[in-house]
Amino acid sequence: MSAYADPHPKHLLDFHDWSTERLNAILDNADTMSKVLDRPVKKVPALQGLTVCTVFFENSTRTRISFELAARRMSADVVSFAASSSSLSKGESLRDTIETLTAYKIDAYVVRHSASGAAHAVARFSGKPTINAGDGLRAHPTQALLDAYTIRREYGELKGRRVAIIGDIRHSRVARSNAELLTRLGASVVLCGPATLLPRDLAGEGVTLTTDAKAAVKGADAVMALRLQTERMDAGYLGSLPEYIAGYQVNEALLEDAAPNAIVLHPGPMNRDLEISADTADGPRSRVLKQVEHGQAVRMSVLYHLLVGRG
Ligand code: CP
């Protein structure tokens, strides 16, 4: 058992309380869920009688849809709370909103919010199992789990693999969660971007930083491109876009020194021909749509683990 261990974590807010054994169990169980999704009838009764509420204060395509599908595939009822059309616009607080929803006997929450720590607040206000679907710059644990699962499906295990993550590291909760999870699972991670987008405090055991994209990619088994999160930028982080593209775009030329069978990942949404070239996004190394596909199985595994399989 690792130092992180809570034997029965109630929430997935980040990886802090999760033992490495339990994280591996989520990935193992995603294999079973993938097999369910390959059947003609993609449905099991595991969550029958339970209600999952998705509460998104930021836009999403992949995370919200895959969580809602994941819950329905396991026969849960799903209710989707849309912040923009809710009574929040009349001044209702987050606490009153969550307490109101909980009075409808919601069994679990999936939360995305621009504020770091918002999912913790929902967990506290509701007392129900809560999954962080991305909070501010802090964490996006199920994205990291599906990324790890995608690499594991490719190579069998994470141990000894080198993963380069390139782009807007500063504003990326995906980079932070991946750096923690992938190193816990035995991979090494190199985070790469312009100095303005590369916080020095992210370096740590198994995690190195570089501003040199060619050096980051050299020998990498997986190369992940990250979007420039201009919606979170309030200062002049970049010189010019052409300079950024020349230095940090993930494209075929950059990948020349990667491992021969290196795969390319992107958490989405992609800005084609900006952080990733269109031909690389569509090329044989790309596992972008595999990540999307695996997201559903991994989120089924997480929901199952928190709602019925915590023993
Ligand atoms: N990767 C990711 O979180 O995508 P969405 O914003 O579409 O959910």
Side-chain angles (χ1 to χ4, degrees):
M1 194 69 82
S2 82
Y4 301 89
D6 173 342
H8 307 293
K10 181 172 178 176
H11 313 289
L12 179 57
L13 303 172
D14 47 43
F15 299 124
H16 188 70
D17 290 331
W18 285 68
S19 70
T20 304
E21 291 83 351
R22 235 165 230 275
L23 294 169
N24 272 316
I26 294 281
L27 302 184
D28 292 343
N29 198 35
D31 281 334
T32 307
M33 298 306 182
S34 285
K35 291 189 181 102
V36 170
L37 294 173
D38 285 339
R39 293 181 195 158
V41 178
K42 303 166 185 56
K43 197 138 183 151
V44 290
L47 303 187
Q48 206 159 37
L50 298 175
T51 304
V52 174
C53 183
T54 55
V55 182
F56 277 56
F57 294 85
E58 278 188 339
N59 293 340
S60 167
T61 297
R62 281 147 286 268
T63 312
R64 188 174 64 76
I65 298 291
S66 63
F67 262 117
E68 292 181 1
L69 278 172
R72 289 196 175 101
R73 302 290 192 209
M74 293 190 291
S75 305
D77 294 315
V78 175
V79 59
S80 181
F81 171 85
S84 57
S85 57
S86 74
S87 289
L88 285 164
S89 63
K90 302 172 198 163
E92 192 164 35
S93 68
L94 176 63
R95 180 181 187 143
D96 286 336
T97 300
I98 296 301
E99 286 180 353
T100 298
L101 294 170
T102 304
Y104 293 126
K105 305 203 182 303
I106 300 295
D107 295 293
Y109 288 91
V110 178
V111 183
R112 171 169 290 188
H113 202 290
S114 59
S116 299
H120 289 73
V122 171
R124 205 168 55 251
F125 297 150
S126 70
K128 299 293 179 184
T130 301
I131 300 167
N132 181 3
D135 65 331
L137 310 185
R138 209 182 65 82
H140 193 348
T142 61
Q143 179 67 45
L145 282 163
L146 78 87
D147 294 335
Y149 183 70
T150 302
I151 300 169
R152 199 175 93 155
R153 285 282 294 251
E154 201 70 31
Y155 294 109
E157 63 174 347
L158 273 296
K159 202 169 162 41
R161 297 294 163 189
R162 175 179 165 87
V163 182
I165 303 179
I166 301 177
D168 181 358
I169 306 294
R170 176 176 294 281
H171 300 102
S172 178
R173 54 200 178 203
V174 174
R176 285 173 178 78
S177 286
N178 263 303
E180 180 174 0
L181 179 65
L182 295 174
T183 53
R184 291 263 305 271
L185 299 178
S188 62
V189 173
V190 53
L191 302 175
C192 174
T196 49
L197 296 176
L198 193 64
R200 309 311 292 179
D201 62 355
L202 293 184
E205 199 175 330
V207 182
T208 54
L209 309 183
T210 179
T211 57
D212 179 346
K214 270 282 180 198
V217 165
K218 196 172 171 52
D221 299 294
V223 178
M224 181 184 297
L226 294 179
R227 185 174 66 86
L228 281 171
Q229 298 196 37
T230 49
E231 72 275 23
R232 299 189 206 276
M233 290 186 192
D234 54 7
Y237 287 105
L238 291 177
S240 70
L241 271 187
E243 273 172 1
Y244 179 80
I245 289 168
Y248 298 101
Q249 183 183 80
V250 174
N251 54 35
E252 295 307 303
L254 184 69
L255 292 166
E256 270 169 14
D257 291 334
N261 297 320
I263 59 171
V264 171
L265 306 172
H266 193 308
M270 288 190 289
N271 291 139
R272 284 166 178 268
D273 291 328
L274 206 167
E275 73 272 7
I276 186 167
S277 69
D279 58 340
T280 296
D282 297 329
R285 293 181 186 276
S286 175
R287 297 294 182 272
V288 174
L289 291 177
K290 278 287 166 201
Q291 289 171 274
V292 174
E293 182 186 327
H294 294 156
Q296 193 179 166
V298 166
R299 287 168 175 138
M300 285 171 76
S301 179
V302 169
L303 285 168
Y304 181 84
H305 208 82
L306 289 178
L307 288 172
V308 293
R310 290 175 57 221

